[in-house]
Amino acid sequence: MNSFLDSRLQRAFAPKGIAIVGATEDRNKVGGRPLHYLQRFGFQGAVYPINPKRPTVQGMIAYPSLDALPKAPDVAIVAVGQDAVTGVIDQCAARGVGTAIVMSSGFGETGAEGVSRQAALVAQAQRLGVRLVGPNAQGVANFQTGAVMNFSTMFMEVEPADGPVAIISQSGAASVMPYAMLRERGVGVRYLVASGNDADASVCELALTAAADPEIRVVLMYIESLSDPLMLAEVARLAAVRGAAVIALKAGRSAHGAKAAASHTGAIVNDDVMVDAFFERHGIWRAQDVHGLVNAVELYLAAPPRVAGRLVVMSHSGAVGVLCADAAEALGLPLADLSPSVVQALAGIMPSFATAQNPVDLTAALITQGGMFADTLGALGADPQADMFLIGVPVAGEGYDVVGMARETAHFAASRGKPTVVSAPQASVREAFHAAGVPVFGHETDAIDALHQWSRHGLLVAQAAKRVAAPAASTPALPRGNAPLLSEADSLALLDKVGIPTVPHRLCRNANEAVAAWQQFGPEVVVKACSAAIPHKSEHGLVFVGLTTEQQVRNAWNACVERVAAMNFSMDGVIVAERVRGRREFALGVRQDPLFGTVVMVSDGGKYVEALRDFVALLYPFCESDVLAKLQDLRIAPILAGVRGEAPVDLDIVARTAVALGALAAAHADRIASIDLNPLIVGEQGQGGWAVDAVIERQGVNDAIH
Amino acid sequence: MNSFLDSRLQRAFAPKGIAIVGATEDRNKVGGRPLHYLQRFGFQGAVYPINPKRPTVQGMIAYPSLDALPKAPDVAIVAVGQDAVTGVIDQCAARGVGTAIVMSSGFGETGAEGVSRQAALVAQAQRLGVRLVGPNAQGVANFQTGAVMNFSTMFMEVEPADGPVAIISQSGAASVMPYAMLRERGVGVRYLVASGNDADASVCELALTAAADPEIRVVLMYIESLSDPLMLAEVARLAAVRGAAVIALKAGRSAHGAKAAASHTGAIVNDDVMVDAFFERHGIWRAQDVHGLVNAVELYLAAPPRVAGRLVVMSHSGAVGVLCADAAEALGLPLADLSPSVVQALAGIMPSFATAQNPVDLTAALITQGGMFADTLGALGADPQADMFLIGVPVAGEGYDVVGMARETAHFAASRGKPTVVSAPQASVREAFHAAGVPVFGHETDAIDALHQWSRHGLLVAQAAKRVAAPAASTPALPRGNAPLLSEADSLALLDKVGIPTVPHRLCRNANEAVAAWQQFGPEVVVKACSAAIPHKSEHGLVFVGLTTEQQVRNAWNACVERVAAMNFSMDGVIVAERVRGRREFALGVRQDPLFGTVVMVSDGGKYVEALRDFVALLYPFCESDVLAKLQDLRIAPILAGVRGEAPVDLDIVARTAVALGALAAAHADRIASIDLNPLIVGEQGQGGWAVDAVIERQGVNDAIH
């Protein structure tokens, strides 16, 4: 039994009995439409319209109140005025109703008064042991049983059909848009949930409830505000165990979009970088729009996503091959190099002017030599280099045996077990392949996008399953004190204790100590004032670089003393550090996100860190190989690999440092708010690197800093 | 009369008489299907089947040969074996046929023998004054007149309808794919041409022929190999004059795609950077795939593209607003800030919980207050901040007056004259708006993509119309000589003559001259060996930087003399140059493309120019403001603008230098093959910059260089 699952919500997704509080005769009202749907879509359980003023509603016996019901229903639809909702929740508790789907509006979506009304409602429900979907929810629909407790008009317009897909959305509109698109493609949908204000049972917990159904293969989510990522991680984990997949559209990634989302739901704004890192970490595919949410669903239904790279394209048009090659390369999806034996076999099958290479061009000879299609597919399927197949059918008509091609393709996919899709602009061609069970797409880019997503998602899921928390290293204590920041010396000392290589340096309390340090670390040193109150030393003229004489060191000491005194701060001394030189500077940062936990950012360093925004983010825990893989996403990755005869940059030290920073911050999550390590100067491969400056910020201490 | 237009091809697009050489009874053969189509689609002109073996073909009187025809046809379809083609062309010439559509294959697409057969065919046709479409062409179709001289099966599958769109493609498949997509959207297509091997009349000349039809509003092109860009520029120019638009899919942009295209057509591979620059320069929109080719067509048909930025989104769903804001920001399409008076007007129309901001959320109150739709539209239309409108209809059904909304939207668009589109996942909703004449899209991203394309294309067209060649500056002569490269001194001297600021420097013939130059340009100088034979001086240890003493300068002289002697080259002397320092280094390059002419590349400079590939390309002629606009596309643009309190980089000098380089190379197109100016060291705004090194390569001289 999964401890995250709530049996009350599970019963609400597959109820035996449903009450509708506020049931009305008019099927175009919120309290009338679910009742209409329950009858229309053949719900076989008990339906209890609650309406004290009428003996029947929509031809069914009505009850005056919940406590008058002959049996406790699993769920109550609440479609009453906002002021009456709390009374209904009391009745739900009294009658033993597990879940209330609150369609009533006038809560968190309507300003301060509504927000406090909503908080009181949730507190009441939790106290009484009633789970809430909503308020302001469009509701829950189960098209397997006909338990359609949802007031969308869409189900009158677009006929439902049961299928292995769940759509769980915070928005009503964003729940029915993917529904309409999937139904148009002939894909069935079992659950459709729009959770509205998401006040008690969140969109993530509702998705978990759907994912617990062993027949659900794809969970589609629309999220504007992610409040409980741990629950979402559990959705992904539970789905992955069964080979089901989670695809989520997290909207509000743009500045305007986030503003609109906040205005729409009044909810928190997520840091989009964290969302990306979190989804990737847990093997959740992030769709960019509603089309992206549904585009690959048929491919997922054909087989769970898995790591599979190399694509073979086959068509009777050279242009389709060119278009597919362009689309694949744009996504980094490799085309398979056909094995020599397969090329030879193809040469025997295809006409002399056809192309025995990938993309495979059967040419219009397909019309006169229909057998070529199956023969070529057979030869290609035997190639161990080929992982996935795209068959382009740009045109058909008289002379083309489309039904036969569809049959051959379905047979091929089933016998080879390799994902095989078809792209065709003609609806009639797509229908023939769809009828044979082959995933179909309207054009090449959609098909390639889907194949890329499927295989890349497979990789993410595999990585998420493998990933284990690094063994907890012994964690050094933070120095005592309650200044908001640790001084540079204290910060570097702490980094040193967790194994991060720091620049050779010493904290010097007087000029003579500084000169002695210069003699130790010279000939060239850097002198910096050390004060926990002044993290931005450069801006205050407190950093002196390239010092090579005793006099320069003494001058620097004097300048630090004078300037810090002029700022009315105290100084711990000056840091005298060796002037180290490497191949590349990095900046590493750690933040504690209240939702997502410890996140480590690794950025190209130097003066323009913020302006160029060339960084990657990793959620802790992660290991060194995770960092090395992510560093390939940096724009400067080609440089790091070594160009123009240069040796590669020592990325191992970057990876080790990132892991050590993450572990340190995670272990002190309640005491370390952030770490800025900038720069980490890194040498060539094997030379290591040096943390040259660092600032550690304590958690919960907020004095002014300068 | 447009001098690029050929009246023979124009007659072939709208023929009065058509001969089919190789006409057959079987409508599923190449020589049978056009005959079938001509009858099926109601062609009213004369049709002459040519078949010496039969009295009639498909019920029509057959003729034994072209010379037996009662009247000369405008066009002859050639559907005979490859060996018979030349004989038919002779007959065409003899009978006065202007154009032969050669469907026969076995030419350039089949290897070396076919290539020479094709060359002979083209030479023959040109000698005889017959224009060719093809060979290996699927043919030409005119759905206005029913002159369907095209053997695609598609027209049996997807019923044609006349409309203001032309599809001109090198590939048969890529001609019918956009056709099928457009027809599915209810858009009519007049011309559909697949030119096959493109051997005589190119896809560009055929597009020009279509664009000359004053009723054609959109020209869609599929190009794998662009051989006559000047003709394409003329297509764009002719279209723009009439407010028509050219959208082209140039495939083969990826390495694999280019390889597949070369194998497909055997034709040249275009440099994709040049293609981008050329399209942009001439106001041609470059589609990324077949979907992108057709996606915005309905919007173009509603109004010619024009410069129009700010978008207003209106929907009865908050989620649609969020999704649109995300999609718009991803493309850089700004959302309008509504005027205060409009916000006030909206507040009076919309319910209190609806959002009187952009995106506008009408909420589900739209169901009960149907008048809100028109009232809100009216208020928004009055806002001068609003240029374009997207109306999202994520769901409809009972309670929604979709037909009324469609009528209001069409009225709004017509009266305001501002582009207005609808996004709706339900086919029935799209049909209602489409019937009212409103461009419709299946989801938000397609709609936003189309609006972005339309307005951005309008900008490109406007810029292309405005752009005039810079007045020809007096061009200095190249120094005499026939070494493949000019020496650095000669190169810098030439740049200096065209007004490019060069680093203060002198070519010194002996050590004493070098010392004197150091005294002039010091205290710090750079010394470089100067030899036209050695452009890559650094790699041979012939560059000495940071010299501050006479002895260092003498040592550098000696080292240059020794090392160049050891390489067995002669040396012109050494260049002694001031050590200049600026804010940023750029690398500028000029190439002469055989197809596209003089192109100037401006790149972020430094050691990693090639690895980072942060560059823009401009086709000459262009002016300084063109360069300044393009520089905004560089990834380093934020840095150039000045961050962290820095002044902006002096981009004016970069722009002046790029224009001067382009003008110089264009004026010497037959003598200068390339120019590499690297680095151009640039200071802060107002400080100018210095060309520090340059290599000019002569055209047509190809000795070994080191």
Side-chain angles (χ1 to χ4, degrees):
Chain A
M1 186 61 208
N2 188 308
S3 63
F4 288 84
L5 280 168
D6 186 319
S7 61
R8 291 165 295 183
L9 292 173
Q10 287 189 285
R11 289 207 313 276
F13 271 51
K16 293 199 173 69
I18 302 169
I20 301 102
V21 185
T24 64
E25 198 64 29
D26 184 347
R27 70 177 202 183
N28 285 332
K29 290 200 166 155
V30 169
R33 193 166 296 129
L35 193 52
H36 170 68
Y37 281 154
L38 290 170
Q39 297 179 81
R40 174 169 174 159
F41 297 126
F43 177 63
Q44 298 293 313
V47 178
Y48 307 112
I50 309 286
N51 188 327
K53 297 179 185 162
R54 301 178 62 104
T56 63
V57 180
Q58 292 186 30
M60 303 185 77
I61 292 167
Y63 298 80
S65 64
L66 282 171
D67 55 13
L69 297 186
K71 202 173 165 194
D74 296 305
V75 55
I77 295 169
V78 183
V80 298
Q82 63 189 47
D83 297 331
V85 173
T86 52
V88 175
I89 299 303
D90 279 337
Q91 288 181 38
C92 285
R95 192 60 190 90
V97 175
T99 298
I101 298 173
V102 184
M103 296 178 174
S104 316
S105 58
F107 290 87
E109 79 281 11
T110 56
E113 202 186 326
V115 168
S116 62
R117 190 162 36 235
Q118 179 167 305
L121 177 68
V122 171
Q124 176 200 9
Q126 288 178 348
R127 194 176 62 242
L128 297 173
V130 178
R131 296 306 308 268
L132 300 183
V133 176
N136 193 30
Q138 193 174 274
V140 176
N142 177 333
F143 294 112
Q144 182 189 28
T145 65
V148 181
M149 306 163 284
N150 186 306
F151 67 81
S152 176
T153 53
M154 183 63 90
F155 316 128
M156 293 193 236
E157 299 275 301
V158 177
E159 193 64 20
D162 187 28
V165 177
I167 299 172
I168 317 289
S169 166
Q170 288 175 329
S171 148
S175 71
V176 293
M177 289 196 286
Y179 165 87
M181 291 170 166
L182 285 175
R183 294 298 304 121
E184 193 161 291
R185 289 164 173 242
V187 176
V189 174
R190 175 164 299 174
Y191 300 114
L192 190 148
V193 178
S195 66
N197 292 4
D198 233 38
D200 173 39
S202 73
V203 69
C204 297
E205 188 173 5
L206 295 166
L208 185 70
T209 311
D213 179 337
E215 290 176 8
I216 290 299
R217 303 280 305 283
V218 178
V219 178
L220 303 179
M221 299 180 70
Y222 175 84
I223 306 171
E224 281 185 8
S225 175
L226 179 54
S227 58
D228 52 352
L230 281 183
M231 187 69 83
L232 182 56
E234 182 61 18
V235 176
R237 200 197 58 75
L238 179 64
V241 166
R242 299 200 288 96
V246 182
I247 305 170
L249 171 52
K250 169 64 180 69
R253 68 185 313 158
S254 66
H256 264 97
K259 191 175 149 219
S263 136
H264 181 205
T265 61
I268 57 160
V269 173
N270 299 116
D271 182 333
D272 209 63
V273 170
M274 305 290 176
V275 173
D276 274 337
F278 183 83
F279 278 25
E280 185 171 329
R281 171 134 192 41
H282 293 284
I284 297 164
W285 186 262
R286 184 168 187 178
Q288 296 300 307
D289 55 21
V290 178
H291 175 69
L293 199 55
V294 302
N295 186 50
V297 164
E298 287 162 278
L299 193 50
Y300 285 83
L301 296 183
R306 62 168 188 271
V307 191
R310 297 155 303 177
L311 175 67
V312 170
V313 175
M314 176 177 122
S315 172
H316 56 278
S317 154
V320 169
V322 177
L323 291 166
C324 287
D326 282 354
E329 189 161 311
L331 291 172
L333 183 67
L335 291 188
D337 286 322
L338 298 180
S339 302
S341 62
V342 174
V343 172
Q344 206 175 353
L346 290 181
I349 297 165
M350 292 165 40
S352 63
F353 51 89
T355 309
Q357 67 184 28
N358 183 20
V360 180
D361 182 3
L362 298 177
T363 78
L366 178 61
I367 303 187
T368 47
Q369 302 170 44
M372 207 167 74
F373 185 87
D375 293 346
T376 306
L377 257 190
L380 292 171
D383 196 330
Q385 303 295 317
D387 297 320
M388 308 194 288
F389 297 87
L390 189 159
I391 297 169
V393 188
V395 58
E398 284 190 41
Y400 293 94
D401 177 13
V402 174
V403 171
M405 284 158 66
R407 192 178 52 238
E408 294 292 350
T409 304
H411 172 72
F412 169 82
S415 61
R416 291 290 175 184
K418 292 177 179 177
T420 306
V421 305
V422 161
S423 168
Q426 287 169 261
S428 58
V429 175
R430 289 199 299 275
E431 275 154 28
F433 281 90
H434 175 74
V438 179
V440 292
F441 297 87
H443 56 88
E444 292 73 27
T445 308
D446 272 356
I448 298 270
D449 278 350
L451 289 165
H452 170 255
Q453 172 184 334
W454 183 90
S455 58
R456 171 90 191 140
H457 196 175
L459 178 65
L460 294 185
V461 169
Q463 285 174 338
K466 269 195 321 205
R467 198 172 281 123
V468 287
S474 68
T475 308
L478 257 66
R480 290 163 186 280
N482 51 19
L485 303 176
L486 268 59
S487 74
E488 178 179 346
D490 285 347
S491 296
L492 287 176
L494 199 59
L495 298 193
D496 184 64
K497 283 185 191 157
V498 297
I500 295 171
T502 56
V503 66
H505 70 284
R506 193 188 308 152
L507 176 63
C508 305
R509 310 287 175 167
N510 57 50
N512 288 341
E513 278 184 28
V515 170
W518 163 66
Q519 285 162 340
Q520 182 185 353
F521 301 127
E524 189 179 350
V525 294
V526 177
V527 172
K528 303 175 271 188
C530 183
S531 166
I534 316 172
H536 305 298
K537 297 176 286 285
S538 305
E539 296 172 11
H540 298 288
L542 296 171
V543 178
F544 300 85
V545 296
L547 309 189
T548 53
T549 67
E550 177 176 338
Q551 192 55 49
Q552 287 174 328
V553 173
R554 289 191 183 276
N555 291 348
W557 166 269
N558 291 335
C560 287
V561 169
E562 281 166 28
R563 289 174 190 173
V564 173
M567 292 170 73
N568 266 328
F569 285 114
S570 66
M571 178 171 101
D572 300 340
V574 301
I575 289 176
V576 177
E578 185 182 328
R579 174 74 186 270
V580 291
R581 287 187 167 82
R583 273 281 311 287
R584 195 87 197 171
E585 292 187 10
F586 293 84
L588 285 82
V590 185
R591 300 284 174 277
Q592 308 281 14
D593 188 276
L595 284 171
F596 298 104
T598 302
V599 61
V600 177
M601 254 94 66
V602 184
S603 170
D604 183 24
K607 198 169 170 182
Y608 299 117
V609 168
E610 287 87 9
L612 289 179
R613 291 184 61 77
D614 190 12
F615 71 94
V616 293
L618 296 112
L619 286 181
Y620 194 80
F622 54 82
C623 64
E624 289 174 25
S625 63
D626 294 329
V627 183
L628 292 173
K630 277 304 268 186
L631 290 176
Q632 297 309 311
D633 292 346
L634 290 176
R635 280 204 297 261
I636 56 159
I639 293 177
L640 303 179
V643 290
R644 295 173 56 112
E646 289 178 347
V649 173
D650 195 334
L651 296 182
D652 291 334
I653 197 67
V654 179
R656 276 209 297 283
T657 302
V659 171
L661 281 184
L664 173 65
H668 282 302
D670 53 344
R671 272 164 293 176
I672 293 179
S674 71
I675 305 176
D676 279 308
L677 192 177
N678 184 9
L680 178 74
I681 296 181
V682 179
E684 293 182 357
Q685 195 152 51
Q687 293 181 335
W690 304 269
V692 169
D693 196 355
V695 179
I696 295 177
E697 181 192 2
R698 291 184 201 270
Q699 190 74 276
V701 183
N702 268 316
D703 290 3
I705 53 179
H706 297 267
Chain B
M1 186 59 209
N2 188 309
S3 64
F4 287 84
L5 279 169
D6 187 319
S7 60
R8 292 167 292 182
L9 292 174
Q10 287 189 284
R11 289 207 314 277
F13 271 51
K16 294 197 175 71
I18 303 169
I20 301 103
V21 187
T24 64
E25 197 65 29
D26 184 348
R27 70 176 202 182
N28 286 332
K29 290 202 165 153
V30 169
R33 193 166 296 129
L35 193 53
H36 170 69
Y37 281 155
L38 290 170
Q39 297 179 83
R40 173 169 173 161
F41 297 126
F43 178 63
Q44 297 293 312
V47 178
Y48 308 112
I50 310 286
N51 187 327
K53 297 180 186 161
R54 301 176 63 103
T56 63
V57 180
Q58 294 187 29
M60 303 184 77
I61 293 166
Y63 297 82
S65 64
L66 281 170
D67 55 13
L69 297 188
K71 201 174 165 195
D74 296 304
V75 55
I77 295 170
V78 183
V80 298
Q82 62 188 47
D83 298 330
V85 173
T86 53
V88 176
I89 299 303
D90 280 337
Q91 289 181 38
C92 284
R95 192 62 189 90
V97 175
T99 298
I101 298 174
V102 184
M103 297 178 174
S104 315
S105 57
F107 291 87
E109 79 282 10
T110 57
E113 201 185 327
V115 168
S116 61
R117 187 159 43 231
Q118 179 168 306
L121 177 67
V122 171
Q124 176 200 11
Q126 288 178 347
R127 196 177 60 243
L128 297 174
V130 177
R131 297 307 308 267
L132 299 183
V133 176
N136 193 29
Q138 194 176 274
V140 176
N142 176 334
F143 294 111
Q144 182 189 29
T145 64
V148 181
M149 307 163 282
N150 187 306
F151 68 82
S152 176
T153 53
M154 184 63 90
F155 317 128
M156 292 192 237
E157 300 276 299
V158 176
E159 193 64 21
D162 186 29
V165 176
I167 299 172
I168 317 290
S169 166
Q170 288 175 331
S171 148
S175 72
V176 293
M177 289 196 287
Y179 165 88
M181 290 169 165
L182 285 175
R183 294 298 304 123
E184 191 161 293
R185 288 166 173 242
V187 176
V189 174
R190 175 165 299 175
Y191 301 112
L192 191 147
V193 178
S195 65
N197 293 4
D198 233 39
D200 174 38
S202 72
V203 68
C204 297
E205 187 173 5
L206 295 167
L208 185 70
T209 311
D213 179 338
E215 290 176 8
I216 291 297
R217 303 279 305 283
V218 178
V219 179
L220 303 179
M221 300 181 69
Y222 175 85
I223 306 170
E224 281 185 8
S225 175
L226 179 55
S227 59
D228 52 352
L230 281 183
M231 188 68 85
L232 182 56
E234 183 61 17
V235 177
R237 201 197 58 75
L238 180 64
V241 166
R242 299 199 289 95
V246 183
I247 305 171
L249 171 52
K250 168 66 180 68
R253 66 186 313 160
S254 65
H256 264 98
K259 191 175 149 220
S263 138
H264 180 206
T265 61
I268 56 161
V269 173
N270 299 116
D271 182 332
D272 209 64
V273 171
M274 305 289 177
V275 173
D276 273 337
F278 183 83
F279 279 25
E280 185 171 329
R281 169 131 191 46
H282 293 283
I284 297 163
W285 185 262
R286 183 166 188 180
Q288 297 300 307
D289 55 21
V290 179
H291 175 68
L293 199 55
V294 302
N295 185 50
V297 165
E298 287 162 278
L299 194 52
Y300 285 83
L301 296 183
R306 63 168 189 271
V307 190
R310 298 155 301 178
L311 174 68
V312 171
V313 175
M314 177 177 120
S315 172
H316 55 279
S317 153
V320 168
V322 178
L323 291 166
C324 287
D326 283 354
E329 190 162 310
L331 292 171
L333 184 66
L335 292 187
D337 285 323
L338 298 181
S339 301
S341 62
V342 173
V343 172
Q344 207 174 353
L346 290 181
I349 298 163
M350 292 164 41
S352 62
F353 52 88
T355 309
Q357 67 185 28
N358 183 19
V360 181
D361 181 4
L362 299 177
T363 77
L366 178 61
I367 304 186
T368 48
Q369 303 169 44
M372 209 166 74
F373 185 87
D375 293 346
T376 306
L377 258 190
L380 291 170
D383 197 331
Q385 303 295 316
D387 297 321
M388 308 194 289
F389 296 86
L390 189 159
I391 298 169
V393 188
V395 58
E398 285 189 40
Y400 293 93
D401 176 13
V402 174
V403 171
M405 285 158 67
R407 190 178 54 237
E408 294 292 349
T409 304
H411 172 72
F412 169 82
S415 61
R416 292 291 175 184
K418 292 177 180 177
T420 305
V421 305
V422 161
S423 167
Q426 287 168 261
S428 59
V429 174
R430 289 199 299 276
E431 276 154 27
F433 281 90
H434 175 74
V438 179
V440 291
F441 297 87
H443 56 88
E444 291 72 27
T445 308
D446 272 355
I448 298 269
D449 278 350
L451 289 165
H452 171 256
Q453 173 184 333
W454 183 89
S455 58
R456 173 92 190 136
H457 196 175
L459 178 65
L460 294 184
V461 169
Q463 286 174 339
K466 269 194 323 205
R467 197 173 281 122
V468 289
S474 69
T475 308
L478 257 63
R480 290 164 186 279
N482 51 19
L485 303 176
L486 269 59
S487 74
E488 179 179 347
D490 284 347
S491 296
L492 287 176
L494 199 57
L495 298 193
D496 185 64
K497 283 185 192 158
V498 297
I500 294 172
T502 55
V503 66
H505 71 282
R506 194 189 306 153
L507 177 62
C508 304
R509 310 287 174 167
N510 57 49
N512 288 342
E513 278 184 26
V515 170
W518 163 66
Q519 286 161 339
Q520 181 185 356
F521 300 127
E524 188 178 350
V525 296
V526 177
V527 172
K528 304 175 272 188
C530 182
S531 167
I534 315 173
H536 305 297
K537 297 176 287 286
S538 305
E539 296 174 11
H540 298 288
L542 297 171
V543 177
F544 301 84
V545 297
L547 309 189
T548 53
T549 67
E550 176 176 339
Q551 192 55 51
Q552 287 173 328
V553 172
R554 289 191 184 277
N555 290 348
W557 166 270
N558 291 336
C560 286
V561 170
E562 282 167 26
R563 290 174 191 174
V564 173
M567 292 172 73
N568 268 329
F569 284 114
S570 66
M571 177 170 100
D572 301 340
V574 301
I575 288 176
V576 178
E578 184 182 327
R579 175 74 186 271
V580 291
R581 286 187 167 85
R583 272 281 310 287
R584 196 88 197 171
E585 292 187 9
F586 292 84
L588 285 82
V590 184
R591 300 284 175 276
Q592 308 281 15
D593 188 276
L595 284 172
F596 298 105
T598 302
V599 62
V600 178
M601 255 96 64
V602 183
S603 170
D604 184 23
K607 197 169 172 184
Y608 299 117
V609 168
E610 287 86 9
L612 289 178
R613 292 183 60 77
D614 189 13
F615 71 94
V616 294
L618 296 112
L619 286 179
Y620 193 81
F622 53 83
C623 65
E624 289 175 26
S625 63
D626 294 328
V627 183
L628 292 174
K630 277 305 266 187
L631 290 176
Q632 297 309 310
D633 293 346
L634 290 176
R635 280 203 298 260
I636 55 158
I639 293 177
L640 303 179
V643 289
R644 294 173 56 113
E646 288 178 348
V649 173
D650 195 335
L651 297 181
D652 291 335
I653 197 66
V654 180
R656 277 209 298 283
T657 302
V659 171
L661 281 184
L664 173 65
H668 282 301
D670 54 342
R671 273 165 291 177
I672 292 179
S674 71
I675 305 176
D676 278 310
L677 192 179
N678 184 9
L680 178 74
I681 296 181
V682 179
E684 294 182 357
Q685 194 152 54
Q687 294 182 336
W690 304 269
V692 168
D693 197 354
V695 179
I696 295 176
E697 181 192 2
R698 289 184 203 270
Q699 190 74 275
V701 183
N702 268 317
D703 289 4
I705 52 179
H706 298 267

